[in-house]
Amino acid sequence: MNAEDIAACVDKMEMQATLCAEDYCQLHKWIQSGDADIRDRIAAMLAAHREEQAEKILLELARDDDELVRADAYDSLAVFQDERAADLLRWAAEFEEDELARYFALVSYADAALAGGKSKETVRAFFVEMLEKAPPPLCGLACQYGLYCCGERAALRRILHYLAEPDYIVRCRAIRTLEEIVDDQNFHVIRAAVMRCCRDERNAVVKK
């Protein structure tokens, strides 16, 4: 089976509501392949599954040599609420060397830690500490998301500032972050800011 065939099988599995033991055995076999695109597809696909086997594969992919595979694995691990996922995400949030992958680790740590029962005070202290180290813009954005999730409503204004960052990737992630936190209370503020951003934005990726 070549890479194209495996990709087609992974895409088919993505349409399934549940995966059986045989599916997970096959996925584990495929992540041993040298094709980073296949591993990345699997990491992204497993975001829809919360079985222990899915978590085990994601924890393995979170240590992958490819930064995009790690990024998708961190992103997908956000749905798991146990110590294994939270501990790995916290470690990656501090020490991951790739900025985009670290962004996903930070965001997922906020989601997983709070859903797993860690106090807002504990999680907030972590993100305050991370910000004190003057992280790059993308990671700073993720930290502000974490603070907002911990109840710091003032973080919204700081998130909005990232819509004006020179790096289009930061602007893209700022919009995605705002999509995650929008609610009835902040809808009008976020809508106005995003509309201004889209009006002035020249990058087609951000506009989309």
Side-chain angles (χ1 to χ4, degrees), residues 71-80 85-86 89 102-114 127 145:
D72 269 318
Y74 298 149
D75 191 28
S76 295
L77 280 168
V79 303
F80 294 94
L89 289 169
R102 188 180 175 207
Y103 162 87
F104 282 109
L106 285 158
V107 168
S108 291
Y109 176 69
D111 293 338
L114 292 170
F127 284 108
Y145 168 81

Side-chain angles (χ1 to χ4, degrees), residues 125-165:
F126 171 79
F127 284 108
V128 169
E129 181 183 351
M130 291 299 99
L131 284 169
E132 288 174 351
K133 298 178 180 179
L138 200 55
C139 297
L141 168 63
C143 290
Q144 296 298 343
Y145 168 81
L147 292 178
Y148 189 85
C149 291
C150 291
E152 190 170 321
R153 304 295 287 186
L156 172 59
R157 289 291 177 186
R158 299 192 290 271
I159 291 171
L160 293 175
H161 289 321
Y162 288 94
L163 292 173
E165 276 289 323

Side-chain angles (χ1 to χ4, degrees), residues 23-121:
D23 291 328
Y24 281 113
C25 285
Q26 193 64 65
L27 288 171
H28 193 267
K29 178 181 177 181
W30 288 335
I31 68 170
Q32 310 305 319
S33 76
D35 193 316
D37 180 62
I38 296 298
R39 302 195 302 278
D40 190 44
R41 282 172 179 261
I42 292 172
M45 181 267 287
L46 288 177
H49 298 275
R50 300 193 179 190
E51 297 85 5
E52 183 180 0
Q53 299 98 312
E55 183 181 22
K56 286 181 178 179
I57 291 175
L58 287 170
L59 289 170
E60 187 168 343
L61 290 174
R63 298 178 174 87
D64 198 90
D65 290 337
D66 188 279
E67 63 274 13
L68 294 179
V69 175
R70 296 197 304 276
D72 269 318
Y74 298 149
D75 191 28
S76 295
L77 280 168
V79 303
F80 294 94
Q81 301 175 11
D82 57 44
E83 288 296 323
R84 289 187 303 176
D87 287 349
L88 184 142
L89 289 169
R90 176 172 176 139
W91 180 90
E94 289 194 67
F95 302 112
E96 168 63 55
E97 294 182 354
D98 181 79
E99 185 178 352
L100 181 61
R102 188 180 175 207
Y103 162 87
F104 282 109
L106 285 158
V107 168
S108 291
Y109 176 69
D111 293 338
L114 292 170
K118 290 189 183 298
S119 71
K120 288 184 177 181
E121 292 76 14

